Coordinates of all heavy atoms in Angstrom, one line a residue:
M1 N 5.3 -34.7 8.1 CA 4.3 -34.6 7.1 C 4.0 -36.1 6.7 O 4.8 -36.9 6.5 CB 4.8 -33.9 5.9 CG 3.8 -33.8 4.8 SD 4.4 -33.1 3.2 CE 4.8 -31.5 3.7
V2 N 2.7 -36.4 6.6 CA 2.3 -37.7 6.2 C 1.6 -37.6 4.8 O 0.8 -36.7 4.5 CB 1.2 -38.2 7.2 CG1 0.7 -39.5 6.7 CG2 1.8 -38.3 8.5
W3 N 2.1 -38.4 3.9 CA 1.6 -38.4 2.5 C 0.4 -39.4 2.5 O 0.5 -40.5 2.8 CB 2.6 -38.9 1.5 CG 3.8 -38.0 1.4 CD1 4.9 -37.9 2.2 CD2 3.9 -36.9 0.4 NE1 5.7 -36.9 1.8 CE2 5.1 -36.3 0.7 CE3 3.1 -36.5 -0.6 CZ2 5.6 -35.2 0.0 CZ3 3.6 -35.4 -1.4 CH2 4.8 -34.8 -1.1
V4 N -0.7 -38.9 2.0 CA -1.9 -39.7 1.9 C -1.8 -40.6 0.7 O -2.1 -41.8 0.7 CB -3.2 -38.8 1.8 CG1 -4.4 -39.7 1.6 CG2 -3.3 -37.9 3.0
S5 N -1.3 -40.1 -0.4 CA -1.1 -40.9 -1.6 C 0.2 -40.5 -2.3 O 0.7 -39.4 -2.1 CB -2.3 -40.7 -2.6 OG -2.3 -39.3 -3.1
L6 N 0.8 -41.5 -2.9 CA 2.1 -41.3 -3.5 C 2.2 -42.2 -4.7 O 1.8 -43.3 -4.7 CB 3.2 -41.7 -2.5 CG 4.7 -41.5 -2.9 CD1 5.0 -40.0 -3.1 CD2 5.6 -42.1 -1.8
Y7 N 2.7 -41.6 -5.8 CA 2.9 -42.3 -7.1 C 3.9 -43.5 -6.8 O 5.0 -43.3 -6.3 CB 3.5 -41.3 -8.1 CG 3.7 -41.9 -9.5 CD1 2.6 -42.5 -10.1 CD2 4.9 -41.8 -10.1 CE1 2.8 -43.0 -11.4 CE2 5.1 -42.3 -11.4 CZ 4.0 -42.9 -12.0 OH 4.2 -43.4 -13.3
W8 N 3.5 -44.7 -7.1 CA 4.2 -45.9 -6.6 C 5.7 -46.0 -7.0 O 6.5 -46.4 -6.3 CB 3.5 -47.2 -7.0 CG 3.6 -47.5 -8.4 CD1 2.7 -47.2 -9.4 CD2 4.6 -48.3 -9.1 NE1 3.1 -47.7 -10.6 CE2 4.3 -48.4 -10.5 CE3 5.7 -48.9 -8.6 CZ2 5.1 -49.0 -11.4 CZ3 6.6 -49.5 -9.5 CH2 6.2 -49.6 -10.9
P9 N 6.1 -45.5 -8.3 CA 7.5 -45.6 -8.6 C 8.4 -44.7 -7.7 O 9.6 -44.9 -7.6 CB 7.6 -45.2 -10.0 CG 6.3 -45.4 -10.6 CD 5.3 -45.1 -9.5
L10 N 7.8 -43.7 -7.1 CA 8.6 -42.8 -6.2 C 8.6 -43.3 -4.8 O 9.3 -42.7 -4.0 CB 8.0 -41.4 -6.3 CG 8.0 -40.7 -7.6 CD1 7.3 -39.3 -7.5 CD2 9.3 -40.6 -8.2
K11 N 7.9 -44.3 -4.5 CA 7.9 -44.9 -3.1 C 9.2 -45.7 -3.0 O 9.6 -46.5 -3.8 CB 6.7 -45.8 -3.0 CG 6.5 -46.3 -1.6 CD 5.3 -47.1 -1.5 CE 5.1 -47.7 -0.1 NZ 4.0 -48.6 0.0
H12 N 9.9 -45.6 -1.8 CA 11.1 -46.3 -1.6 C 10.8 -47.8 -1.3 O 9.7 -48.1 -0.7 CB 11.8 -45.7 -0.4 CG 12.5 -44.5 -0.7 ND1 13.7 -44.4 -1.4 CD2 12.2 -43.2 -0.5 CE1 14.1 -43.2 -1.5 NE2 13.2 -42.4 -1.0
A13 N 11.6 -48.6 -1.8 CA 11.4 -50.1 -1.7 C 11.7 -50.5 -0.3 O 12.5 -49.9 0.5 CB 12.3 -50.8 -2.6
D14 N 11.2 -51.6 0.1 CA 11.5 -52.3 1.3 C 13.0 -52.7 1.2 O 13.5 -52.8 0.1 CB 10.6 -53.5 1.6 CG 9.2 -53.0 1.9 OD1 9.0 -51.9 2.4 OD2 8.3 -53.8 1.6
W15 N 13.5 -53.2 2.3 CA 15.0 -53.6 2.3 C 15.3 -54.7 1.4 O 16.4 -54.9 0.9 CB 15.4 -53.9 3.7 CG 14.7 -55.2 4.2 CD1 13.6 -55.3 4.9 CD2 15.3 -56.5 4.1 NE1 13.3 -56.6 5.2 CE2 14.3 -57.4 4.7 CE3 16.4 -57.1 3.6 CZ2 14.5 -58.7 4.8 CZ3 16.6 -58.4 3.7 CH2 15.6 -59.2 4.3
H16 N 14.3 -55.5 1.0 CA 14.6 -56.7 0.2 C 14.2 -56.5 -1.3 O 14.1 -57.5 -2.1 CB 13.8 -57.9 0.7 CG 12.3 -57.7 0.7 ND1 11.7 -57.0 1.7 CD2 11.4 -58.1 -0.2 CE1 10.4 -57.0 1.4 NE2 10.2 -57.7 0.3
G17 N 14.0 -55.3 -1.8 CA 13.5 -55.1 -3.2 C 14.0 -53.8 -3.7 O 14.5 -52.9 -3.1
L18 N 13.7 -53.6 -5.0 CA 14.0 -52.4 -5.7 C 12.8 -51.9 -6.5 O 11.9 -52.7 -6.9 CB 15.1 -52.6 -6.8 CG 16.5 -53.0 -6.3 CD1 17.4 -53.4 -7.4 CD2 17.1 -51.8 -5.6
T19 N 12.7 -50.6 -6.6 CA 11.7 -50.0 -7.5 C 12.5 -49.2 -8.6 O 13.7 -49.1 -8.5 CB 10.9 -48.9 -6.8 OG1 11.7 -47.9 -6.3 CG2 10.1 -49.6 -5.6
P20 N 11.8 -48.8 -9.7 CA 12.6 -48.1 -10.7 C 13.3 -46.8 -10.2 O 14.4 -46.5 -10.7 CB 11.4 -47.7 -11.7 CG 10.4 -48.7 -11.5 CD 10.5 -49.1 -10.0
T21 N 12.7 -46.2 -9.2 CA 13.4 -45.0 -8.6 C 14.7 -45.3 -8.0 O 15.7 -44.6 -8.1 CB 12.5 -44.4 -7.5 OG1 11.2 -44.1 -8.1 CG2 13.0 -43.1 -7.0
D22 N 14.9 -46.5 -7.4 CA 16.1 -46.9 -6.8 C 17.2 -47.1 -7.8 O 18.4 -47.1 -7.4 CB 15.9 -48.2 -6.0 CG 15.0 -48.0 -4.8 OD1 15.0 -46.9 -4.2 OD2 14.2 -49.0 -4.6
L23 N 16.9 -47.3 -9.1 CA 17.9 -47.4 -10.1 C 18.1 -46.2 -10.9 O 19.2 -45.9 -11.4 CB 17.5 -48.6 -11.0 CG 17.3 -49.9 -10.3 CD1 16.8 -50.9 -11.3 CD2 18.6 -50.4 -9.8
I24 N 17.0 -45.4 -11.2 CA 17.1 -44.3 -12.1 C 17.8 -43.1 -11.4 O 18.7 -42.5 -12.1 CB 15.7 -43.8 -12.5 CG1 15.0 -44.9 -13.3 CG2 15.7 -42.5 -13.2 CD1 13.6 -44.7 -13.6
F25 N 17.6 -42.8 -10.2 CA 18.2 -41.6 -9.5 C 19.8 -41.8 -9.5 O 20.5 -40.8 -9.9 CB 17.7 -41.4 -8.2 CG 18.2 -40.1 -7.5 CD1 17.9 -38.9 -8.0 CD2 19.1 -40.2 -6.5 CE1 18.4 -37.7 -7.5 CE2 19.7 -39.0 -5.9 CZ 19.3 -37.8 -6.4
P26 N 20.3 -42.9 -9.1 CA 21.8 -43.0 -9.1 C 22.4 -42.9 -10.5 O 23.4 -42.3 -10.7 CB 22.1 -44.4 -8.5 CG 20.9 -44.7 -7.7 CD 19.8 -44.0 -8.4
F27 N 21.7 -43.4 -11.5 CA 22.1 -43.3 -12.9 C 22.1 -41.9 -13.3 O 23.0 -41.4 -14.0 CB 21.2 -44.2 -13.8 CG 21.6 -44.2 -15.2 CD1 22.8 -44.7 -15.6 CD2 20.8 -43.5 -16.2 CE1 23.2 -44.7 -17.0 CE2 21.2 -43.5 -17.5 CZ 22.4 -44.1 -17.9
F28 N 21.0 -41.1 -12.9 CA 20.9 -39.7 -13.3 C 22.1 -38.9 -12.7 O 22.7 -38.1 -13.4 CB 19.6 -39.1 -12.7 CG 19.5 -37.7 -12.9 CD1 19.2 -37.1 -14.1 CD2 19.6 -36.8 -11.8 CE1 19.1 -35.7 -14.2 CE2 19.5 -35.5 -11.9 CZ 19.3 -34.9 -13.1
I29 N 22.4 -39.2 -11.4 CA 23.6 -38.5 -10.8 C 24.9 -38.8 -11.5 O 25.7 -37.9 -11.7 CB 23.7 -38.9 -9.3 CG1 22.4 -38.4 -8.6 CG2 24.9 -38.3 -8.7 CD1 22.2 -36.9 -8.6
F30 N 25.1 -40.1 -11.9 CA 26.2 -40.5 -12.7 C 26.3 -39.7 -14.0 O 27.4 -39.2 -14.4 CB 26.2 -42.0 -12.9 CG 27.3 -42.5 -13.8 CD1 28.6 -42.6 -13.4 CD2 27.0 -42.8 -15.1 CE1 29.6 -43.0 -14.2 CE2 28.1 -43.2 -16.0 CZ 29.4 -43.3 -15.5
I31 N 25.2 -39.6 -14.7 CA 25.2 -38.9 -16.0 C 25.5 -37.4 -15.8 O 26.2 -36.8 -16.6 CB 23.8 -39.1 -16.7 CG1 23.6 -40.6 -17.1 CG2 23.7 -38.2 -17.9 CD1 24.7 -41.1 -18.1
V32 N 25.0 -36.8 -14.8 CA 25.2 -35.4 -14.5 C 26.7 -35.2 -14.3 O 27.4 -34.3 -14.8 CB 24.4 -34.9 -13.3 CG1 24.9 -33.5 -12.9 CG2 22.9 -34.8 -13.7
G33 N 27.3 -36.1 -13.5 CA 28.8 -36.0 -13.2 C 29.6 -36.1 -14.4 O 30.6 -35.4 -14.6
M34 N 29.2 -37.1 -15.3 CA 30.0 -37.3 -16.5 C 29.8 -36.1 -17.4 O 30.8 -35.6 -18.1 CB 29.5 -38.6 -17.2 CG 29.9 -39.8 -16.5 SD 31.7 -40.0 -16.2 CE 32.2 -40.1 -17.9
S35 N 28.7 -35.5 -17.5 CA 28.4 -34.3 -18.4 C 29.2 -33.1 -17.9 O 29.8 -32.4 -18.7 CB 26.9 -34.0 -18.4 OG 26.2 -35.0 -18.9
I36 N 29.3 -32.9 -16.6 CA 30.1 -31.8 -16.1 C 31.6 -32.0 -16.4 O 32.3 -31.1 -16.9 CB 29.9 -31.7 -14.6 CG1 28.5 -31.1 -14.3 CG2 30.9 -30.7 -14.0 CD1 28.1 -31.2 -12.9
T37 N 32.1 -33.2 -16.2 CA 33.5 -33.6 -16.5 C 33.8 -33.3 -17.9 O 34.8 -32.7 -18.3 CB 33.8 -35.0 -16.1 OG1 33.5 -35.2 -14.7 CG2 35.2 -35.4 -16.4
L38 N 33.0 -33.8 -18.8 CA 33.2 -33.7 -20.3 C 33.1 -32.2 -20.7 O 34.0 -31.8 -21.5 CB 32.2 -34.5 -21.1 CG 32.4 -36.0 -20.9 CD1 31.3 -36.8 -21.6 CD2 33.7 -36.5 -21.4
S39 N 32.2 -31.5 -20.2 CA 32.1 -30.1 -20.6 C 33.3 -29.2 -20.1 O 33.8 -28.3 -20.8 CB 30.8 -29.5 -20.2 OG 30.7 -29.4 -18.8
V40 N 33.7 -29.5 -18.8 CA 34.9 -28.8 -18.3 C 36.1 -29.1 -19.1 O 36.9 -28.2 -19.4 CB 35.1 -29.1 -16.8 CG1 36.4 -28.6 -16.3 CG2 33.9 -28.5 -16.0
N41 N 36.3 -30.4 -19.4 CA 37.5 -30.8 -20.3 C 37.4 -30.1 -21.6 O 38.4 -29.7 -22.1 CB 37.5 -32.3 -20.4 CG 38.0 -33.0 -19.1 OD1 38.5 -32.3 -18.2 ND2 37.7 -34.2 -19.0
A42 N 36.2 -30.0 -22.2 CA 36.1 -29.4 -23.5 C 36.4 -27.9 -23.4 O 37.1 -27.3 -24.3 CB 34.7 -29.6 -24.1
M43 N 36.0 -27.2 -22.4 CA 36.3 -25.8 -22.2 C 37.7 -25.6 -22.0 O 38.3 -24.6 -22.6 CB 35.4 -25.2 -21.1 CG 34.0 -25.1 -21.4 SD 32.9 -24.2 -20.3 CE 33.5 -24.6 -18.7
Q44 N 38.4 -26.4 -21.2 CA 39.8 -26.3 -21.0 C 40.6 -26.5 -22.3 O 41.6 -25.9 -22.5 CB 40.3 -27.3 -19.9 CG 39.9 -26.9 -18.5 CD 40.2 -27.9 -17.5 OE1 40.6 -29.0 -17.8 NE2 40.2 -27.5 -16.2
A45 N 40.2 -27.5 -23.1 CA 40.8 -27.7 -24.4 C 40.7 -26.5 -25.3 O 41.6 -26.3 -26.2 CB 40.2 -28.9 -25.1
K46 N 39.7 -25.7 -25.2 CA 39.5 -24.5 -26.0 C 40.3 -23.3 -25.4 O 40.3 -22.3 -26.0 CB 38.0 -24.2 -26.1 CG 37.2 -25.1 -26.9 CD 35.8 -24.7 -27.0 CE 34.9 -25.7 -27.8 NZ 33.5 -25.3 -27.8
G47 N 40.8 -23.5 -24.2 CA 41.6 -22.5 -23.6 C 40.9 -21.6 -22.7 O 41.4 -20.5 -22.2
I48 N 39.6 -21.9 -22.4 CA 38.8 -21.1 -21.5 C 39.3 -21.5 -20.1 O 39.4 -22.6 -19.7 CB 37.3 -21.4 -21.6 CG1 36.9 -21.1 -23.1 CG2 36.5 -20.7 -20.6 CD1 35.5 -21.5 -23.4
T49 N 39.6 -20.5 -19.3 CA 40.0 -20.7 -17.9 C 38.9 -20.4 -16.9 O 37.9 -19.8 -17.3 CB 41.3 -19.8 -17.6 OG1 40.9 -18.5 -17.7 CG2 42.4 -20.1 -18.5
K50 N 39.2 -20.8 -15.7 CA 38.2 -20.5 -14.6 C 38.1 -19.0 -14.4 O 37.1 -18.5 -14.1 CB 38.6 -21.2 -13.3 CG 38.6 -22.7 -13.4 CD 39.0 -23.3 -12.1 CE 39.0 -24.8 -12.2 NZ 39.4 -25.4 -10.9

């Protein structure tokens, strides 16, 4: 599939540069992982089991 137009922040950077997308997505994945860890720990502290 060929994209005729693409919102520029979603375009991948060349090998020598970064765009906001290259920084935001990894940060988002990190936050999701931390949220899951904290919520599972909180549920275990309350005595909720799997």
Side-chain angles (χ1 to χ4, degrees):
M1 177 188 300
V2 176
W3 293 85
V4 177
S5 62
L6 184 63
Y7 185 55
W8 75 267
L10 299 179
K11 186 177 177 184
H12 285 282
D14 294 330
W15 67 272
H16 63 279
L18 291 172
T19 65
T21 305
D22 296 324
L23 301 174
I24 293 170
F25 185 70
F27 182 68
F28 172 75
I29 296 298
F30 174 76
I31 293 298
V32 169
M34 291 302 297
S35 299
I36 291 170
T37 301
L38 293 173
S39 64
V40 168
N41 288 342
M43 290 190 318
Q44 287 176 344
K46 291 180 182 178
I48 300 172
T49 61
K50 293 180 183 181

